[in-house]
Amino acid sequence: MGLGLALLGASSCSLTTADVGACASSQECRVAFGVGAVCEADGYCRTEALPPRCELRLPEGASADPTLLADTVPIATVVDLSLDSHAARANSVELALVDASRLGVEGRGFSLVVCTNQDDFQGDGLDRSAASLSLGTYLEDIGTRVVVGPPASSDAEAVFGVTEDVLFINPSATSNALTGLDPSPATDTMPGRFWRTAAPDEQQGIRIAEDVRSRDVATLAIVHANDPYGTGLRDVVVAVLAAGEEDVEVIDFPFENGDDTSFGVAVASAASTPTDEVLFVSSQTEEAVAFATSAATLPGFAGRSLFLTDSAGNEDFAAEVRTDTQARQTCGRIRGTRPAVAVGFVTDLFRSLYQSAEGEDPTLFGFASNSYDAGWLAAISVAWGVLQEDGDLSWPALARGLRNVSAGTEVNLDAGGFATVLSAFARGESVNVTGASGTLDYDVSTEETMAPTELWVIDDDCDLVVLPDPDGDP
């Protein structure tokens, strides 16, 4: 049993080899005993119950009847289910895989395990980072082929480092540092194992700096997490501001991610240092809320404008600020950036399907559309492995499939588009996909995509409002 299994509290059943029987593949064990069962090197099944942090969502009914797992490829997503915006991401992945499973790939559908990395889930004592590491090793151990997540850049980097044989498609980790996880330039022989449907932070950093400069901010405090996301985005903003004609003085206040004392010192120091504006950079929505509360209560922040990033550009943050007596005092002073909500057929279709299933507009929640696209890309990567790699579902085979989605026949990421993908891949042809988050045009050397960034504000009524694009683009 690996470290991840031990931390998560999963335990092997005390069955004899006669009880579990011989096996030739983990698929046989899953069908007999459930999604956590694997075929060991000795040729016998090892059975594992899913840990409390994880639930089997697909196929429906498979928790009670493991035979429904026959001919399915295991996919997983890791989110923080204590946050509505993260729950929406898991729902979006599920929505894509439900449709993909209806068509299947030469008779193979998809199973989906959803895991939460929230702090101290059911009193297990694990913080978000420790839970993410444990879940990563566990999901690899049970043979998961693709993991969508985990959400934060620091956790994505850490989980990548402790796994070897799983493909990552991340919908929300945007740090520029993550581009360096894989060899560059990428090739078909040596493709990357880390992919994402969200663009790196360079564009967001540029948009922040341009907006700061356009409003004649002369002094800027940057309170940021000392992790790949916080430091990476801070570096882009500082570099762009330094390259401008007008000098903007930047004063840095880093804090250690997840350290309440370090966070408090950084925020208090920024409050006591006079600046025109304060930029707060953290990948955690709860830290953004804590910053808003501090900005309302510390006298040094009075009258100063506040700038936040994509972790706050969602309904979770707006609702917390709206309902917190102290934090709501910052309404009308907060602005921020986030990846722009795309427009087009696939976005409208996704919104309609999600509203029918969940009764909510998914575009209110950050990175839901990116998660929907990630679910479809997981299915597409498996299609390439089955149809062009003789059924090879190793991560390099799956990654080569993703290197074939940015040129060729135009395809929407929906059920009809997936049928077109299957036909094209069977002929060895590439496709050019458009998803709910926009056109996913990957640079084959970096295997990164690009996307526009939009500005938003928390208005006087404490509602999140997206600002019109100054260039008139939708």
Side-chain angles (χ1 to χ4, degrees):
M1 186 187 304
L3 172 63
L5 294 177
L7 286 173
L8 286 164
S11 60
S12 297
C13 299
S14 56
L15 301 178
T16 67
T17 53
D19 290 322
V20 298
C23 57
S25 69
S26 290
Q27 182 70 5
E28 294 178 7
C29 300
R30 284 192 288 270
V31 171
F33 302 107
V35 72
V38 296
C39 187
E40 294 280 34
D42 62 3
Y44 291 94
C45 294
R46 185 192 80 228
T47 60
E48 302 282 357
L50 280 175
R53 284 180 174 269
C54 298
E55 60 177 307
L56 178 62
R57 292 265 188 104
L58 297 175
E60 186 176 352
S63 293
D65 181 7
T67 62
L68 296 175
L69 293 166
D71 298 322
T72 63
V73 178
I75 310 296
T77 187
V78 178
V79 293
D80 180 345
L81 289 177
S82 69
L83 297 174
D84 290 343
S85 57
H86 285 218
R89 297 175 198 179
N91 294 339
S92 300
V93 174
E94 181 180 0
L95 196 63
L97 290 178
V98 165
D99 275 351
S101 289
R102 289 193 182 108
L103 284 174
V105 184
E106 292 197 339
R108 304 192 70 173
F110 302 92
S111 59
L112 175 63
V113 172
V114 175
C115 300
T116 183
N117 68 348
Q118 67 198 72
D119 286 342
D120 197 27
F121 179 73
Q122 295 185 0
D124 65 7
L126 298 181
D127 64 16
R128 189 200 75 249
S129 297
S132 297
L133 287 171
S134 299
L135 290 167
T137 57
Y138 172 74
L139 292 171
E140 180 175 47
D141 188 69
I142 65 171
T144 306
R145 302 317 316 137
V146 183
V147 171
V148 178
S153 294
S154 56
D155 296 332
E157 181 178 53
V159 173
F160 182 90
V162 299
T163 56
E164 296 179 353
D165 191 29
V166 61
L167 180 72
F168 290 93
I169 306 177
N170 200 297
S172 59
T174 55
S175 169
N176 289 343
L178 299 179
T179 303
L181 292 179
D182 288 313
S184 182
T187 65
D188 280 342
T189 303
M190 188 68 71
R193 190 163 66 91
F194 183 85
W195 293 71
R196 45 188 167 183
T197 53
D201 274 326
E202 182 176 4
Q203 290 165 283
Q204 183 173 198
I206 292 171
R207 188 67 180 268
I208 293 171
E210 289 177 343
D211 185 68
V212 166
R213 188 184 295 124
S214 72
R215 291 180 290 107
D216 297 324
V217 172
T219 55
L220 178 70
I222 303 182
V223 181
H224 67 90
N226 187 23
D227 64 10
Y229 174 81
T231 301
L233 190 50
R234 175 261 181 208
D235 289 348
V236 175
V237 172
V238 170
V240 176
L241 289 176
E245 295 181 1
E246 299 294 330
D247 289 336
V248 178
E249 181 185 0
V250 175
I251 306 173
D252 210 29
F253 300 96
F255 64 90
E256 295 305 315
N257 196 16
D259 185 327
D260 290 343
T261 300
S262 178
F263 174 86
V265 169
V267 173
S269 298
S272 64
T273 305
T275 58
D276 295 334
E277 185 162 285
V278 184
L279 168 63
F280 180 79
V281 188
S282 166
S283 62
Q284 303 304 308
T285 300
E286 57 267 33
E287 288 184 338
V289 173
F291 171 73
T293 302
S294 297
T297 56
L298 293 175
F301 283 119
R304 279 198 266 179
S305 56
L306 312 172
F307 205 119
L308 288 86
T309 59
D310 52 71
S311 62
N314 56 65
E315 186 56 29
D316 279 322
F317 176 80
E320 288 285 350
V321 170
R322 188 182 307 124
T323 56
D324 186 285
T325 303
Q326 294 177 323
R328 71 175 291 116
Q329 296 176 42
T330 62
C331 295
R333 289 198 286 141
I334 296 175
R335 63 196 292 114
T337 50
R338 69 179 188 181
V341 175
V343 295
F345 171 79
V346 185
T347 307
D348 292 342
L349 174 64
F350 166 57
R351 182 184 284 116
S352 175
L353 291 173
Y354 193 98
Q355 286 179 320
S356 295
E358 305 295 337
E360 298 177 297
D361 181 352
T363 61
L364 295 175
F365 305 107
F367 300 107
S369 58
N370 303 84
S371 300
Y372 179 73
D373 294 346
W376 275 114
L377 289 186
I380 286 173
S381 70
V382 169
W384 182 270
V386 171
L387 298 171
Q388 279 297 313
E389 306 262 355
D390 297 323
D392 183 2
L393 297 182
S394 65
W395 75 260
L398 302 183
R400 280 190 283 273
L402 299 184
R403 289 175 57 82
N404 284 276
V405 299
S406 299
T409 303
E410 299 285 339
V411 170
N412 291 325
L413 289 184
D414 58 17
F418 190 54
T420 302
V421 170
L422 296 177
S423 297
F425 280 7
R427 298 189 299 270
E429 299 174 359
S430 298
V431 294
N432 191 2
V433 302
T434 296
S437 64
T439 302
L440 295 168
D441 286 332
Y442 287 101
D443 181 330
V444 293
S445 64
T446 63
E447 296 174 335
E448 295 281 19
T449 189
M450 302 296 284
T453 300
E454 63 189 12
L455 287 164
W456 53 269
V457 298
I458 300 296
D459 66 12
D460 292 336
D461 295 322
C462 297
D463 292 325
L464 189 151
V465 178
V466 176
L467 298 179
D469 189 288
D471 298 322
D473 296 331

